[in-house]
């Protein structure tokens, strides 16, 4: 009877420890994912800004080509 109680108590303690490890790893993983999300958000913003710059440059270059062609045609 007492042996069963000791075994059950031991099992409960091991389960409690395993649950604590699981929660800790889960918390670490969530923090890592949050950090990765922040990093990726910044990268997206940088890339979007660069894309806008390149779009402006394309417009400027097209206008330059049109202007040059109009001088050559005149």
């Amino acid at each position: 009877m007492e042996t069963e109680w000791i075994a059950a108590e031991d099992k409960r303690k091991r389960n409690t420890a395993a649950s604590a490890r699981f929660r800790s790893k889960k918390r670490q993983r969530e923090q890592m994912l949050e950090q990765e999300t922040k990093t990726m958000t910044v990268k997206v913003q940088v890339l979007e800004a660069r894309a806008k710059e390149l779009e402006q440059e394309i417009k400027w270059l097209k206008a330059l080509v049109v202007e040059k062609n109009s001088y050559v045609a005149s």
Side-chain angles (χ1 to χ4, degrees), residues 44-62:
V44 165
Q45 291 171 344
V46 168
L47 290 171
E48 286 176 343
R50 180 68 177 137
K52 285 182 181 180
E53 289 173 7
L54 291 172
E55 288 171 357
Q56 288 295 94
E57 186 176 349
I58 288 169
K59 286 179 185 177
W60 180 78
L61 289 170
K62 282 182 179 180

Side-chain angles (χ1 to χ4, degrees), residues 4 11 20 27 30 40 42 45 56 65 69 72:
E4 290 175 8
K11 183 177 178 181
R27 213 173 303 115
E30 288 173 350
M40 293 302 215
V42 169
Q45 291 171 344
Q56 288 295 94
V65 168
N69 287 340
V72 171

Side-chain angles (χ1 to χ4, degrees), residues 8-71:
E9 184 68 17
D10 184 51
K11 183 177 178 181
R12 186 185 66 75
K13 285 180 182 178
R14 284 185 283 128
N15 186 50
T16 301
S19 295
R21 285 192 306 274
F22 174 80
R23 286 190 302 273
S24 176
K25 286 181 183 179
K26 182 179 177 184
R27 213 173 303 115
Q28 287 175 345
R29 183 172 168 2
E30 288 173 350
Q31 288 173 349
M32 182 200 64
L33 289 172
E34 285 177 10
Q35 183 59 43
E36 192 173 334
T37 300
K38 289 176 185 176
T39 301
M40 293 302 215
T41 300
V42 169
K43 285 183 180 182
V44 165
Q45 291 171 344
V46 168
L47 290 171
E48 286 176 343
R50 180 68 177 137
K52 285 182 181 180
E53 289 173 7
L54 291 172
E55 288 171 357
Q56 288 295 94
E57 186 176 349
I58 288 169
K59 286 179 185 177
W60 180 78
L61 289 170
K62 282 182 179 180
L64 189 63
V65 168
V66 168
E67 184 180 318
K68 181 169 177 136
N69 287 340
S70 67
Y71 282 131

